[in-house]
Amino acid sequence: MADSPLPSKPNSSLLGHSVIPIVNKLQDISAQLGANTPIELPQVAVVGSQSSGKSSVLEALVGRDFLPRGNDICTRRPLMLQLVRSEGCGEEEFGEFLHLPKKRFYDFDAIRMEIEAETDKEAGGNKGVSDKPIRLKIFSPNVLDITLVDLPGITKVPVCDQPSNIEAQIRTMITTYINRPSCLILAVTPANADLANSDALQIARSADPDGSRTIGVITKLDIMDRGTDARNFLLGKVIPLKLGYVGVVNRSQEDIMLKRTIKDALVAEEKFFRSRPVYNELADRCGVPQLAKQLNQILVKHIKMLLPGLKSRIHAALVSVAKEHASLGEITESKAGMGVLLLNILSDYCKELSSMIEGKNQEMSTSELSGGARIHYIFQSIFVKTLEDVDPFEGLTDDEVRTIIQNSTGPRSAFLVHDVPFEVLIRRQIARLLDPSIQCAKFIYDELVKMSRRCMANELQRFPVLRNRVDEVIRKFLRENLQPSETMIRHIVGMEMDYINTSHPSFIGGSKALEIAKQEVKASNAAAAMIPKNKDESEKPQPFENTLKSRGLVSNQVNGVVPDQGARRLAEEVVSSGNKSGRHWKFPAIFNGSDSRLSIKEHLTSKLINEPVQHVEHAYSMIHLKEPPSTLRSSEIHSEDDTVNIIVTRLLLRSYYDIVRKNIEDSVPKAIMHFLVNHTKRELHNVFIRKLYRDNLLEEMLREPEEVSIKRKRTSETLHVLQQAFQTLDELPLEADTVERGYSLPTDRTGLPKSPGLQFHL
């Protein structure tokens, strides 16, 4: 069989629909989005211990010398190496760094120096490490489309300025890459080391326990001890891997120093395998060309497996970027265009605020109440509930009720409950409802202000001046609407105070209240009668002098002398009323020591007969009245009439207060909704037009910051690329199998692949 390039080149139509070039495009998008990109793209991470041959494998896949070399650790930062197969075989090879956009490196020695300089810039020049990646893209007609990540080699002992935990740092860095389900692991182990002690396989197993993402690479087969080979390693008999192993022969340090090309090294590798009959039956597991083929095939299968999730992530990113781009809007420079834009912004703002109040907002929260639901909560769960919990008699004692009843009767005794104390007291209780009603209106005002600010989160962010003016206008408008709301609330409470409607059908009325009060007093007296009294105390005679004093009929300054005829007449009335009830009084010794059973009337008559008139007149002239105190308080002793009057007054107050409270609970929210909330919905757009829609203000209000323009440009570019990527991904499932079948490696009679040149074409 004649020699031919390895492997053969497919037709151009197949190449244009290859899955891996699309992934390379997505890699570019991922790089643009930065470290927080939601798109986890398939890539191959190369792991292994220090000096295991990782760099030699990567350079063999690329076909050029471009990686730092040395005796100690060389890879000190992750290198994101994206290989892009350029169309046509005659194009030049070059590299590009993400941190140096648009600058092409045609000299691969310059690429090496740039990697070293960028590494020293971030990790220092004395063997330090950093987890910040370097992104390098190499374009060549002789490479396979694939993304490789060269990670620092696992080391044990710190050198130079390396920290004592250098091994832990490197392992953590490697783990962050290989733990991703989309990442394939290229575990590199030298053939002259015990595979069971391989650091690469050990760390790969921690991230991929079943070995479904790990490809084993056995390097340095040519320096194994004589009489030994890597057959069992390659067959997976020592440590099995689902994706298997590939053996390669590296360039030696001498080859590198002598500038031996990779093309010559590949020819030497082929001769090595052909000279070892033990590898003749392992043609699909030997050589860098075979490694490139298997990597590409495995990556295609891996992408097919990850394709649904990849599509979903790209679609989500596309929707997110499209939404962000839409929020930034379009650029307009004409006056007419600015006017239309301003009108649309103001109209959308008013619609969004109304939707938020009505509960029709598309971005409705599922975790907390928002918009109009908060207004309803304030009305029902705060305002109404607070009024229902208020005690109308809070701070109003029975003594105060009795005092105001007595004050309302003037110089007369209270015969029945007067309407004046009821009206005075009920007006005081109604007045207490004003403050919470006003406070309720202010709560609704605050909620409208919060909603107005939430509506500014979208397109208004483009225009800071317009956003500030809109905020200023709506806050002033809401304050203006709050004033008539508060005025109406004061009128509502004032109307309730100005007219006490005792004819209200729900009002208890005086007659019924009096009947209930008498029943309560009667029940209370009956309960008190059931309590046994001390017999001695009930039969103990009460001195007549004390009785008169308690009735206010005897002054303490009389020195025991019986009052004059006017006082006697009052006493006779008291005695007469006492005798009618069958009561008799015992007299103290000062009035008649010989007969303590005489009646009051007999005692006084006897005195008048026996004493001269002059003495009586002298006694009358000795009576003096006490000066009334500056502050008079009602007696602490409640009569039965007092108790009835207090109960009646309280019943009337409770009944009418409940009527007024319900009126307030109904009228205040209506006033707030009419004057504040609904008026804002109806008139806000007109207010915006009057205040903001002016030709001389358009340019100033619609001036956007420079960062917004930059952001719009970036999102526009990202959106365009994502759209193309999504459209291409939509066709991939039909083409991936064709790409896989397009792989072929010509072989000779030994069964080993032939590699006369370095042309890794699909």
Side-chain angles (χ1 to χ4, degrees):
M1 184 170 62
D3 293 343
S4 62
L6 174 66
S8 61
K9 179 183 176 183
N11 59 62
S12 59
S13 62
L14 176 62
L15 185 64
H17 292 283
S18 176
V19 61
I20 300 183
I22 300 303
V23 175
N24 286 334
K25 291 181 181 180
L26 296 177
Q27 291 283 10
D28 294 337
I29 298 171
S30 179
Q32 293 176 10
L33 295 176
N36 296 325
T37 174
I39 306 175
E40 291 187 6
L41 298 170
Q43 56 191 12
V44 180
V46 185
V47 300
S49 59
Q50 187 175 312
S51 302
S52 62
K54 296 188 297 81
S55 298
S56 296
V57 172
L58 288 174
E59 288 183 334
L61 291 172
V62 176
R64 300 296 295 266
D65 291 312
F66 67 98
L67 294 175
R69 292 284 186 167
N71 296 325
D72 297 322
I73 182 172
C74 300
T75 305
R76 298 186 288 126
R77 288 179 61 181
L79 176 65
M80 305 285 291
L81 178 61
Q82 185 177 346
L83 305 181
V84 181
R85 182 186 177 282
S86 55
E87 295 184 3
C89 298
E91 294 186 5
E92 292 184 284
E93 298 175 307
F94 62 91
E96 289 182 353
F97 287 95
L98 183 64
H99 63 274
L100 296 173
K102 306 304 180 182
K103 181 178 181 180
R104 293 185 174 183
F105 290 78
Y106 293 95
D107 184 356
F108 280 76
D109 289 334
I111 292 178
R112 178 188 298 108
M113 289 187 291
E114 180 62 30
I115 293 174
E116 291 175 346
E118 193 66 17
T119 299
D120 291 343
K121 179 181 177 181
E122 187 68 28
N126 204 7
K127 307 304 179 183
V129 296
S130 171
D131 60 356
K132 186 176 181 180
I134 299 174
R135 296 181 180 271
L136 171 63
K137 185 187 296 185
I138 293 180
F139 299 84
S140 171
N142 301 318
V143 297
L144 298 173
D145 292 292
I146 194 171
T147 299
L148 300 162
V149 183
D150 186 20
L151 296 167
I154 302 171
T155 185
K156 302 290 185 181
V157 181
V159 296
C160 299
D161 289 342
Q162 291 178 345
S164 58
N165 64 338
I166 184 65
E167 180 182 5
Q169 285 188 18
I170 293 176
R171 286 183 178 273
T172 301
M173 187 190 310
I174 294 173
T175 302
T176 57
Y177 286 89
I178 65 177
N179 275 349
R180 299 171 185 170
S182 60
C183 181
L184 294 174
I185 306 170
L186 199 65
V188 180
T189 304
N192 58 350
D194 187 358
L195 199 63
N197 295 324
S198 170
D199 291 326
L201 291 176
Q202 180 191 35
I203 197 168
R205 178 171 290 182
S206 65
D208 179 31
D210 60 354
S212 60
R213 296 188 288 115
T214 304
I215 309 168
V217 179
I218 309 299
T219 62
K220 304 182 180 181
L221 295 178
D222 56 330
I223 62 173
M224 294 184 70
D225 292 340
R226 289 186 179 183
T228 62
D229 58 66
R231 181 181 177 83
N232 289 337
F233 292 167
L234 298 177
L235 291 174
K237 292 183 178 181
V238 180
I239 299 178
L241 292 175
K242 291 183 178 181
L243 299 181
Y245 292 84
V246 177
V248 298
V249 176
N250 302 91
R251 288 186 301 168
S252 65
Q253 188 64 33
E254 182 182 1
D255 294 335
I256 297 171
M257 294 175 63
L258 295 176
K259 303 294 184 181
R260 188 181 183 185
T261 65
I262 293 178
K263 180 178 180 180
D264 294 337
L266 288 175
V267 173
E269 180 189 54
E270 181 184 358
K271 291 180 179 179
F272 171 81
F273 285 121
R274 290 183 179 182
S275 65
R276 301 294 192 276
V278 70
Y279 298 119
N280 287 349
E281 297 178 1
L282 303 175
D284 60 338
R285 303 169 191 255
C286 299
V288 172
Q290 197 62 245
L291 174 62
K293 173 192 173 182
Q294 291 198 23
L295 275 178
N296 193 276
Q297 288 179 328
I298 292 171
L299 189 58
V300 168
K301 292 179 181 179
H302 194 58
I303 291 172
K304 288 174 61 179
M305 182 182 67
L306 298 174
L307 190 59
L310 182 62
K311 277 181 159 182
S312 298
R313 289 193 296 272
I314 292 179
H315 181 265
L318 181 62
V319 171
S320 177
V321 174
K323 184 178 180 181
E324 182 182 9
H325 185 265
S327 69
L328 296 174
E330 299 296 334
I331 301 175
T332 179
E333 296 181 356
S334 64
K335 282 279 187 180
M338 289 183 179
V340 172
L341 177 60
L342 179 59
L343 286 176
N344 290 336
I345 291 175
L346 297 178
S347 178
D348 292 343
Y349 178 88
C350 295
K351 289 179 181 177
E352 185 176 356
L353 181 60
S354 297
S355 298
M356 197 175 296
I357 294 173
E358 296 295 332
K360 300 177 181 178
N361 191 20
Q362 294 181 355
E363 299 180 359
M364 195 176 300
S365 174
T366 58
S367 59
E368 62 177 350
L369 295 180
S370 61
R374 290 182 62 89
I375 293 177
H376 180 268
Y377 181 87
I378 292 172
F379 284 152
Q380 301 301 320
S381 300
I382 296 180
F383 177 65
V384 172
K385 190 175 185 305
T386 300
L387 295 191
E388 289 178 349
D389 292 341
V390 171
D391 181 8
F393 306 115
E394 183 179 352
L396 187 64
T397 65
D398 288 351
D399 288 339
E400 291 174 336
V401 174
R402 189 156 59 98
T403 300
I404 198 169
I405 291 174
Q406 291 179 355
N407 286 336
S408 66
T409 60
R412 299 170 300 279
S413 297
F415 179 67
L416 290 175
V417 177
H418 204 269
D419 57 347
V420 173
F422 162 70
E423 293 188 2
V424 171
L425 292 176
I426 195 60
R427 285 192 176 93
R428 291 182 184 178
Q429 300 307 315
I430 294 174
R432 296 176 61 198
L433 300 175
L434 178 61
D435 287 342
S437 301
I438 296 295
Q439 193 175 10
C440 179
K442 292 180 178 178
F443 283 169
I444 303 302
Y445 165 81
D446 293 338
E447 289 299 322
L448 291 175
V449 170
K450 293 177 183 177
M451 283 188 273
S452 69
R453 289 176 176 172
R454 288 187 60 185
C455 293
M456 295 184 178
N458 296 325
E459 195 167 4
L460 279 174
Q461 298 300 325
R462 293 175 56 192
F463 311 111
V465 176
L466 178 60
R467 183 176 67 246
N468 294 335
R469 293 296 301 274
V470 167
D471 183 57
E472 178 184 345
V473 169
I474 191 171
R475 286 176 67 89
K476 182 178 180 181
F477 181 62
L478 290 175
R479 284 196 300 269
E480 292 174 352
N481 291 344
L482 179 62
Q483 294 177 357
S485 302
E486 293 180 345
T487 301
M488 187 62 192
I489 291 172
R490 297 181 191 278
H491 286 326
I492 291 172
V493 177
M495 288 187 298
E496 295 289 352
M497 294 175 62
D498 282 347
Y499 179 60
I500 309 301
N501 182 18
T502 55
S503 299
H504 194 281
S506 299
F507 185 56
I508 188 173
S511 300
K512 188 174 181 180
L514 183 60
E515 180 182 350
I516 294 174
K518 289 181 177 180
Q519 291 177 356
E520 289 186 6
V521 172
K522 184 177 181 181
S524 177
N525 292 338
M530 298 292 292
I531 302 175
K533 296 181 179 180
N534 190 317
K535 183 177 180 180
D536 295 336
E537 291 183 359
S538 61
E539 294 181 356
K540 184 176 180 181
Q542 180 179 5
F544 180 67
E545 182 183 20
N546 294 341
T547 302
L548 295 181
K549 287 182 179 179
S550 65
R551 297 278 179 161
L553 302 178
V554 177
S555 172
N556 291 330
Q557 299 180 0
V558 181
N559 296 323
V561 180
V562 178
D564 64 352
Q565 294 180 359
R568 291 193 185 94
R569 283 195 298 271
L570 291 175
E572 289 176 0
E573 293 176 1
V574 172
V575 171
S576 174
S577 61
N579 288 337
K580 290 179 182 178
S581 60
R583 287 182 291 181
H584 296 277
W585 306 96
K586 296 181 180 180
F587 292 90
I590 189 172
F591 292 106
N592 190 349
S594 61
D595 188 2
S596 61
R597 303 292 296 179
L598 292 176
S599 66
I600 297 176
K601 184 175 182 180
E602 292 174 348
H603 177 72
L604 292 178
T605 304
S606 173
K607 275 287 185 181
L608 291 173
I609 294 174
N610 297 328
E611 290 184 359
V613 176
Q614 293 83 357
H615 185 73
V616 173
E617 291 177 355
H618 177 72
Y620 180 78
S621 64
M622 293 297 292
I623 296 175
H624 297 282
L625 299 179
K626 292 191 298 182
E627 290 288 336
S630 59
T631 302
L632 282 174
R633 301 192 183 279
S634 178
S635 172
E636 296 181 358
I637 301 175
H638 290 196
S639 66
E640 185 172 311
D641 291 341
D642 289 339
T643 303
V644 170
N645 289 339
I646 292 172
I647 294 175
V648 169
T649 303
R650 284 185 173 273
L651 288 172
L652 297 177
L653 286 175
R654 166 65 73 179
S655 176
Y656 198 79
Y657 176 83
D658 287 342
I659 295 172
V660 174
R661 174 181 56 77
K662 291 177 181 178
N663 292 342
I664 297 295
E665 290 173 354
D666 181 64
S667 300
V668 168
K670 289 180 178 178
I672 296 173
M673 288 297 298
H674 176 73
F675 289 99
L676 184 57
V677 180
N678 291 333
H679 184 70
T680 299
K681 290 165 50 182
R682 287 189 295 264
E683 297 297 327
L684 181 59
H685 188 266
N686 295 333
V687 172
F688 279 153
I689 298 300
R690 291 197 303 269
K691 300 289 185 180
L692 301 179
Y693 190 71
R694 300 178 183 177
D695 290 342
N696 59 333
L697 297 177
L698 289 178
E699 292 185 4
E700 178 186 358
M701 290 190 298
L702 296 180
R703 185 185 303 116
E704 61 182 11
E706 184 179 356
E707 58 268 19
V708 175
S709 301
I710 297 174
K711 190 175 182 181
R712 182 190 296 106
K713 182 179 179 181
R714 179 178 60 81
T715 54
S716 178
E717 294 172 352
T718 304
L719 180 63
H720 178 68
V721 176
L722 282 172
Q723 287 172 340
Q724 288 184 335
F726 188 78
Q727 291 173 359
T728 307
L729 275 176
D730 211 26
E731 303 173 0
L732 278 179
L734 299 177
E735 302 293 339
D737 290 335
T738 308
V739 174
E740 228 177 303
R741 289 195 299 269
Y743 248 116
S744 63
L745 283 172
T747 60
D748 59 13
R749 58 184 177 81
T750 64
L752 292 168
K754 299 180 65 176
S755 54
L758 186 67
Q759 295 183 349
F760 292 87
H761 300 309
L762 286 179

